[in-house]
Amino acid sequence: MQKHINDFVISVATANGSGSQSSNNVLVRTLFRMGLPVGGKNLFPSNIQGLPTWFTIRVNPNGFTARKRLADVVVAMNSATAANDMNLLRSGGFVFLNSEIKLAPNQLRSDVKTLSIPFKEIIAKCSNSVKLRKLLVNMAYVGVLAHLLEIPQSHLDEVVDHQFGQKGSLAETNRQAIAAGREWAATHLKDLDFPFRAIAQPHQNDGKILIDGNTSAAMGLVFGGCTVAAWYPITPSSSLVESFVDFAEQYRTDESGRKNFAVIQAEDELASISMVVGAGWAGARAFTATSGPGLSLMAEAAGLSYYAEIPAVIWDVQRVGPSTGLPTRTMQGDLLSAYYLSHGDTKHVVLLPGSPQECFEFAQIAFDLAEHLQTLVIVLSDLDIGMNLHISKKFAYPTQPMNRGKVLSSEAITKLGSFQRYKDVDGDGITYRTLTGTRHPLAAYFTRGTGHNTAGLYSEKPEDYRDNMLRLARKFETARSLVPEPIAEIVDEAKIGIIYYGSTEEALKEARYELKQLGFSSNTLRLRALPVGRATQDFISRHERIYIIEQNRDAQLMTILRGEWPQFCQKITPILHFDGLPIDAETICSHILQSERARV
């Protein structure tokens, strides 16, 4: 059988709460330490312990770690799903079936190799604790896979020690379970023609880390000067705030033990964003983290931030909607909601990170933009970026000072001789502000969520309202030149242009490679923020055909771009993926190939 070196997909099917997450992380982190391009995606239930969960590990020599539809190896540990788990395999694959699971002959596949493995017996001598043995069963399949893939034990030991504590008995017990799995495989599978190997590539991952987007964002928020977090727990954003608390405890606690930050769990999402707006008004850098249902509830205060021009940041880790939807599945369904959040004529700056590294960077940029523009900034991550492990370059320590925007000191007010909070002095739509506590008799002003004039005084005059709304529109135009630029990859002769954003990045790289092998060259543009600028318009103009890839049903980005430039409507075709699973390269390729071949 042909050998596959550092090129395989493993899917582990277990029950939620069985301890499999620790075992799967051991495998992923070990492969990473070996210098291999690896990704891990966890598909877990939103309800109670005991429901099915799947974890997919992909290693690829080209660095493609997006989801694959079919696996090479399935470890079937869950009797409730074992029959269906057979369908996760490609033809010629391998099933490692827990021997306690009995399948009928008609539930087995003739085109795959099924091996029954007594995982419970393998670890029987590793512990006297019945509870612990239930968890160690998972480490047994780590040992079996490690033997077959020829993973060096030294790398596994390093990860186990790091994960369970080097000197603890728990680490030693887990090492014993892995060793028992190795020993069983060496004895009972010695004649198995297993074609997959994990061969170490020393130093290939030097300077890189394995991290999820929520942790990255939390770190970036601390580095970005955030001192206030107000939130209401919701999947899949809760771990972001929990990580922020951990980092803030470490880096925003002084030698006397005084905490220089505040984290408040509000009674609901509207209260949390209102607290953020209040903190922003007082001069603090504040954020809330949520997902789609919470974002919907924040609309009223979002409008206040926009109209009263108070800095605030919402970090939305998107999941499948509407309503409760699929709380533990990924989607890009909140783009239109975020862009127009609130009633009336409202448009918000939206940042679109495509990796953990950009989660770290955009967390800082969001505060700079919110204070520079004196407005709400919404960051749209998603569950795939936020909760799954991705390889990233190490984060760079920020060297640029925080941009607090047009803030007037008492000395500046004295020099000017006057101050009107909502007066556009420079023509860019951005007015000057003072921070609370500024010691000057002219520094105070009323913050208005109602109609107001340039001085911040209450007004229902039509001309005051109209002038104010036109100024806010000018400010939004100014934002086009301030938000992160899109990233283009251009091949001069390509007639096909592909526009995408966010977590589609992983699958798009692979799809573009596959399309090129089939003779279809393409240029790509990854949007990183709204509002879009001239670069996006130029990209659309230079191509005969544009494909916009989105992970939602209603082509939300396409709707926005067609609204900006209706003259391009005929050349834009949407590619939509919205089943809750991370988008894969096969989906992108099949849609583009079908469309391109139909033109011939």
Side-chain angles (χ1 to χ4, degrees):
M1 189 177 292
Q2 179 184 357
K3 298 299 180 184
H4 298 268
I5 307 300
N6 298 336
D7 190 6
F8 52 84
V9 179
I10 299 172
S11 185
V12 181
T14 58
N16 197 37
S18 65
S20 59
Q21 183 76 346
S22 296
S23 306
N24 298 328
N25 280 334
V26 165
L27 275 172
V28 173
R29 295 186 185 280
T30 298
L31 293 165
F32 173 76
R33 285 183 182 241
M34 292 171 63
L36 307 184
V38 61
K41 296 191 184 299
N42 189 24
L43 185 63
F44 59 100
S46 58
N47 281 331
I48 59 174
Q49 179 173 336
L51 289 181
T53 182
W54 295 267
F55 193 97
T56 300
I57 301 167
R58 185 178 182 191
V59 174
N60 180 270
N62 295 317
F64 301 141
T65 56
R67 183 178 73 90
K68 290 279 284 185
R69 294 180 185 176
L70 298 176
D72 300 298
V73 177
V74 167
V75 180
M77 304 292 289
N78 188 353
S79 59
T81 64
N84 288 330
D85 292 337
M86 291 284 182
N87 298 324
L88 300 175
L89 267 178
R90 66 167 180 80
S91 182
F94 293 78
V95 180
F96 297 151
L97 182 66
N98 189 338
S99 63
E100 293 188 330
I101 300 173
K102 306 301 180 184
L103 296 179
N106 63 350
Q107 294 176 313
L108 300 175
R109 284 176 54 181
S110 60
D111 62 333
V112 301
K113 181 72 172 178
T114 301
L115 298 104
S116 181
I117 302 180
F119 292 111
K120 185 176 180 180
E121 295 177 15
I122 289 172
I123 53 88
K125 296 181 180 180
C126 295
S127 174
N128 293 323
S129 168
V130 174
K131 181 179 179 180
L132 184 55
R133 285 202 299 268
K134 290 181 179 179
L135 303 177
L136 292 175
V137 163
N138 300 297
M139 286 298 173
Y141 68 67
V142 172
V144 170
L145 289 170
H147 172 77
L148 293 173
L149 293 169
E150 299 182 0
I151 295 175
Q153 186 61 38
S154 58
H155 291 294
L156 276 169
D157 288 341
E158 291 174 2
V159 173
V160 170
D161 287 345
H162 175 79
Q163 191 160 308
F164 296 102
Q166 187 171 2
K167 297 181 180 180
S169 59
L170 188 57
E172 178 57 32
T173 303
N174 279 276
R175 279 196 296 270
Q176 290 175 7
I178 293 172
R182 272 189 183 277
E183 183 179 346
W184 187 93
T187 302
H188 296 84
L189 302 180
K190 58 185 177 182
D191 297 325
L192 178 66
D193 190 3
F194 191 72
F196 306 105
R197 296 291 183 272
I199 306 301
Q201 305 291 318
H203 309 300
Q204 290 301 304
N205 284 335
D206 288 358
K208 299 177 183 178
I209 56 176
L210 194 64
I211 196 168
D212 64 78
N214 282 357
T215 303
S216 306
M219 193 181 305
L221 291 164
V222 172
F223 276 95
C226 180
T227 56
V228 178
W231 69 308
Y232 186 80
I234 183 172
T235 302
S237 70
S238 295
S239 63
L240 193 160
V241 181
E242 291 162 356
S243 295
F244 174 80
V245 172
D246 291 340
F247 289 127
E249 290 274 4
Q250 185 174 357
Y251 297 112
R252 294 205 177 281
T253 303
D254 62 25
E255 294 179 355
S256 68
R258 182 178 61 186
K259 300 181 188 302
N260 299 306
F261 66 96
V263 177
I264 308 156
Q265 182 174 321
E267 59 268 34
D268 55 36
E269 287 87 352
L270 178 56
S272 67
I273 183 58
S274 298
M275 292 174 183
V276 168
V277 172
W281 173 84
R285 289 192 157 191
F287 87 101
T288 186
T290 190
S291 193
L295 188 71
S296 300
L297 295 171
M298 294 179 182
E300 183 179 354
L304 175 63
S305 174
Y306 173 82
Y307 193 51
E309 299 178 74
I310 302 171
V313 171
I314 297 174
W315 197 286
D316 177 7
V317 188
Q318 298 169 95
R319 71 190 206 188
V320 175
S323 188
T324 305
L326 303 177
T328 58
R329 301 292 186 268
T330 193
M331 200 171 178
Q332 294 175 334
D334 298 350
L335 191 66
L336 280 171
S337 295
Y339 197 46
Y340 296 112
L341 190 64
S342 192
H343 61 280
D345 292 322
T346 311
K347 283 184 181 179
H348 299 294
V349 171
V350 178
L351 302 185
L352 304 168
S355 65
Q357 181 176 355
E358 286 189 341
C359 287
F360 174 76
E361 295 169 354
F362 285 13
Q364 301 160 67
I365 292 171
F367 284 126
D368 283 349
L369 287 170
E371 293 207 289
H372 188 150
L373 294 165
Q374 300 169 35
T375 194
L376 172 64
V377 173
I378 302 174
V379 187
L380 289 185
S381 175
D382 61 34
L383 185 146
D384 187 22
I385 294 177
M387 297 193 70
N388 287 325
L389 291 171
H390 305 262
I391 291 180
S392 172
K393 293 180 181 178
K394 286 185 178 180
F395 303 151
Y397 192 91
T399 56
Q400 296 298 317
M402 291 186 293
N403 179 2
R404 305 223 63 181
K406 297 180 179 181
V407 177
L408 293 176
S409 64
S410 58
E411 292 80 11
I413 297 173
T414 299
K415 185 175 180 180
L416 290 171
S418 65
F419 165 58
Q420 293 189 40
R421 171 66 180 94
Y422 297 110
K423 183 177 181 180
D424 185 3
V425 176
D426 303 319
D428 58 4
I430 305 172
T431 64
Y432 286 81
R433 65 176 176 137
T434 58
L435 299 180
T436 54
T438 302
R439 293 179 177 272
H440 195 285
L442 299 178
Y445 62 89
F446 281 104
T447 303
R448 293 286 186 184
T450 54
H452 48 269
N453 61 16
T454 57
L457 300 177
Y458 179 76
S459 173
E460 293 189 15
K461 292 180 179 180
E463 59 270 27
D464 284 341
Y465 177 79
R466 180 178 180 277
D467 289 347
N468 198 40
M469 293 301 291
L470 289 175
R471 179 183 60 78
L472 290 172
R474 286 198 305 276
K475 183 167 74 169
F476 197 70
E477 289 302 309
T478 299
R480 293 184 193 276
S481 63
L482 299 176
V483 299
E485 286 281 332
I487 294 178
E489 294 190 24
I490 303 295
V491 178
D492 289 336
E493 71 274 10
K495 297 179 180 180
I496 299 171
I498 301 173
I499 298 176
Y500 67 104
Y501 63 98
S503 62
T504 303
E505 169 82 345
E506 282 186 348
L508 194 281
K509 286 181 179 179
E510 183 176 1
R512 193 183 186 202
Y513 173 85
E514 296 294 341
L515 288 169
K516 187 176 181 180
Q517 307 309 305
L518 296 171
F520 292 91
S521 295
S522 60
N523 294 330
T524 62
L525 186 79
R526 179 166 66 85
L527 294 186
R528 302 199 297 161
L530 298 175
V532 292
R534 183 59 183 267
T536 305
Q537 184 179 13
D538 291 345
F539 182 86
I540 297 174
S541 297
R542 70 178 291 168
H543 294 94
E544 292 184 8
R545 299 179 296 282
I546 294 291
Y547 295 95
I548 297 181
I549 303 172
E550 304 188 58
Q551 297 182 59
N552 59 63
R553 183 196 68 181
D554 293 339
Q556 296 182 20
L557 176 61
M558 186 183 74
T559 300
I560 293 171
L561 295 185
R562 282 182 169 177
E564 296 267 346
W565 305 301
Q567 68 271 27
F568 295 134
C569 286
Q570 297 304 315
K571 66 164 61 179
I572 295 177
T573 300
I575 296 176
L576 306 175
H577 174 84
F578 50 91
D579 63 3
L581 300 177
I583 193 169
D584 56 275
E586 295 104 311
T587 293
I588 298 171
C589 287
S590 62
H591 279 84
I592 292 179
L593 289 174
Q594 182 179 5
S595 179
E596 290 297 309
R597 287 167 177 166
R599 297 175 185 273
V600 178

